Amino acid sequence: MKYDFDTILDRQHTNSEKWDVKPGELPMTTADMDFKTAPEIMQAMKDKINAGAFGYEYPSQEYFDAVAHWYKTEHNADAQTSWMRFATGVIPSITASVNHLSHTGDNVLLMEPVYNTFYNSILNSGRHALASQLKYDRSTYTYSVDWDDLEEKMSNPLTTLMILCNPHNPTGYVWSRDELMRIIKLAQKHGVVVISDEIHGDLVLKGPDYTPTFSLPEEYRQNLVTLVSTSKTFNVAALHAATGIVANPILRERFTRAINKYEVAEPNLLAIPGTIAAYTQGADWLHQLKKYLLGNREYLEQFISDNLPQLHVVPGTATYLVWIDVSEVTNDSNALAQKIRQETGLIINPGTYYHGNGNEFIRINIAYPLVQIKDGLSRLAKAIKN
């Protein structure tokens, strides 16, 4: 079956957070996709609604079997279903874990630039965000870990947690197996629990696949909470469904208490059937999606090379989010984003949202029909050339 990724959806006036914009504006921002999800998922949800009874739900063994099946078939990664716990989202799980696995005033370590909502989980919980800056090589437009700085930050006695983004948002970098083991080993050395957000793991568009952290050798799983979800993969963020995978039984019990204490462990009406359908019937849809997204990314890269040589795309291989160096144009990406919106109606994320050296970057979402990608890039070129 060939799936449709070319039809433009009218998402205004649908309670879409991203599309709460003025007429004529084009938001290429919030990390959801402007494609309909897989029809197999929609059918499973329709069947659930047609049943007509909307009482309390619980995650069945079928749900956990579906998660295990997906990671085995898509990523050749094994996870025991006994390691798994249902939660209402990756961020709710992170917030609950920050509150339950650390104390007020503790440090939570991040590698910047990084997904901005992590800071909400940390600061709203009364913890301190402690950043290790990724090294940026301006000759290749690539990032790498500053290992000395990372260990120094881990060795701080107040550092008790680290939030890892695997693959990394906003850069699209796919951590190697060796890098992940080195990060986790350093964390073990200094008594730090690692919470790994792997929400973009299914969206590696080319090159080596990502490594689910729960699939690392046993000695690397002891201080690790892995969080996965269908939300980015299948454009079902509003289902509010995620899975925590924790191999260490003591840490798993602490994680279980965290998500129950903060009441983020009970599914809504459609979370279970939608997730099961995604993980058992959605592979073909995803494979076609990734080919389409790769085509969009390649079009963007060629367009910028041909028309905006002062911009430089960071060569990430994962996610549908593109991180672009605009340092030859400005060192204030927030002002640039405002200018682009005012002059053209294109809305993009300024890199300042993601801290670190983000003031010299913008982030663009490319999960749109190609005709909208072309429209957005035409607007971008107009604003930059002005």
Side-chain angles (χ1 to χ4, degrees):
M1 178 177 180
K2 180 172 172 54
Y3 297 100
D4 176 19
F5 301 105
D6 287 313
T7 297
I8 295 176
L9 305 181
D10 183 1
R11 297 181 63 197
Q12 288 193 293
H13 314 296
T14 64
N15 298 321
S16 166
E17 177 183 325
K18 179 168 62 176
W19 281 94
D20 183 19
V21 298
K22 298 174 183 177
E25 289 188 322
L26 176 59
M28 301 179 76
T29 50
T30 305
D32 64 26
M33 299 189 284
D34 271 55
F35 307 124
K36 286 186 177 180
T37 192
E40 295 84 355
I41 297 173
M42 291 191 285
Q43 186 60 53
M45 294 193 290
K46 289 174 183 177
D47 291 344
K48 182 69 174 180
I49 290 172
N50 288 340
F54 309 135
Y56 296 107
E57 300 278 322
Y58 72 96
S60 62
Q61 184 61 38
E62 184 184 4
Y63 172 92
F64 298 115
D65 288 343
V67 178
H69 164 81
W70 179 262
Y71 279 88
K72 181 61 178 177
T73 56
E74 288 297 310
H75 304 290
N76 195 29
D78 292 310
Q80 298 179 24
T81 58
S82 62
W83 299 351
M84 300 178 189
R85 296 292 182 269
F86 174 87
T88 57
V90 167
I91 291 300
S93 299
I94 290 174
T95 302
S97 297
V98 168
N99 276 279
H100 196 69
L101 302 180
S102 67
H103 297 91
T104 301
D106 282 1
N107 294 329
V108 180
L109 181 60
L110 304 163
M111 288 191 287
E112 291 181 346
V114 74
Y115 178 48
N116 54 306
T117 304
F118 290 161
Y119 296 91
N120 297 342
S121 296
I122 297 167
L123 301 178
N124 291 342
S125 302
R127 277 63 169 170
H128 300 293
L130 181 64
S132 177
Q133 303 299 323
L134 292 169
K135 291 181 178 179
Y136 183 59
D137 184 341
R138 201 171 293 281
S139 66
T140 59
Y141 311 106
T142 57
Y143 286 89
S144 61
V145 178
D146 186 334
W147 294 104
D148 291 337
D149 183 68
L150 183 67
E151 181 164 16
E152 179 185 344
K153 301 292 171 53
M154 283 186 176
S155 68
N156 186 313
L158 289 177
T159 303
T160 54
L161 293 177
M162 176 181 182
I163 302 176
L164 175 67
C165 200
N166 173 39
H168 191 262
N169 174 14
T171 67
Y173 183 71
V174 177
W175 303 107
S176 72
R177 181 181 175 88
D178 288 344
E179 286 171 324
L180 292 171
M181 290 193 295
R182 187 173 177 182
I183 291 168
I184 292 169
K185 202 67 175 178
L186 283 176
Q188 288 178 345
K189 177 181 177 181
H190 297 289
V192 175
V193 172
V194 177
I195 303 170
S196 184
D197 173 357
E198 305 192 357
I199 203 166
H200 293 283
D202 295 321
L203 293 167
V204 178
L205 305 184
K206 63 180 179 179
D209 193 16
Y210 107 106
T211 301
T213 50
F214 63 77
S215 71
L216 295 173
E218 182 178 0
E219 63 266 30
Y220 295 93
R221 300 196 297 254
Q222 301 311 303
N223 62 325
L224 179 67
V225 174
T226 305
L227 300 171
V228 301
S229 175
T230 56
S231 62
K232 303 300 182 192
T233 308
F234 291 99
N235 202 29
V236 290
L239 280 188
H240 297 292
T243 307
I245 305 176
V246 190
N248 182 320
I250 296 174
L251 183 57
R252 183 165 65 247
E253 178 59 26
R254 295 178 69 195
F255 176 76
T256 303
R257 291 189 180 189
I259 59 176
N260 280 279
K261 178 179 179 180
Y262 292 95
E263 301 293 356
V264 294
E266 296 181 2
N268 66 56
L269 172 70
L270 301 177
I272 302 303
T275 300
I276 291 172
Y279 280 152
T280 59
Q281 303 175 58
D284 287 346
W285 183 91
L286 175 63
H287 299 162
Q288 291 183 38
L289 168 76
K290 291 199 292 186
K291 289 180 181 179
Y292 195 93
L293 291 174
L294 179 58
N296 281 357
R297 183 178 177 102
E298 290 174 343
Y299 180 89
L300 175 145
E301 290 171 344
Q302 190 63 53
F303 182 94
I304 287 179
S305 175
D306 292 344
N307 299 280
L308 295 168
Q310 65 271 57
L311 305 189
H312 304 282
V313 178
V314 171
T317 59
T319 83
Y320 48 74
L321 307 164
V322 183
W323 191 237
I324 301 174
D325 184 330
V326 295
S327 60
E328 292 183 23
V329 175
T330 183
N331 62 1
D332 185 352
S333 62
N334 189 58
L336 178 63
Q338 292 178 7
K339 168 186 169 64
I340 292 170
R341 182 174 186 175
Q342 290 168 358
E343 293 190 1
T344 72
L346 173 65
I347 310 171
I348 48 88
N349 290 130
T352 50
Y353 287 1
Y354 311 100
H355 300 260
N357 66 339
N359 58 311
E360 296 182 343
F361 292 80
I362 58 175
R363 194 190 79 169
I364 294 181
N365 182 342
I366 58 166
Y368 296 78
L370 180 58
V371 66
Q372 288 181 297
I373 298 295
K374 292 179 178 180
D375 180 14
L377 290 173
S378 176
R379 299 186 197 207
L380 178 67
K382 176 182 177 181
I384 295 296
K385 289 177 179 178
N386 284 346

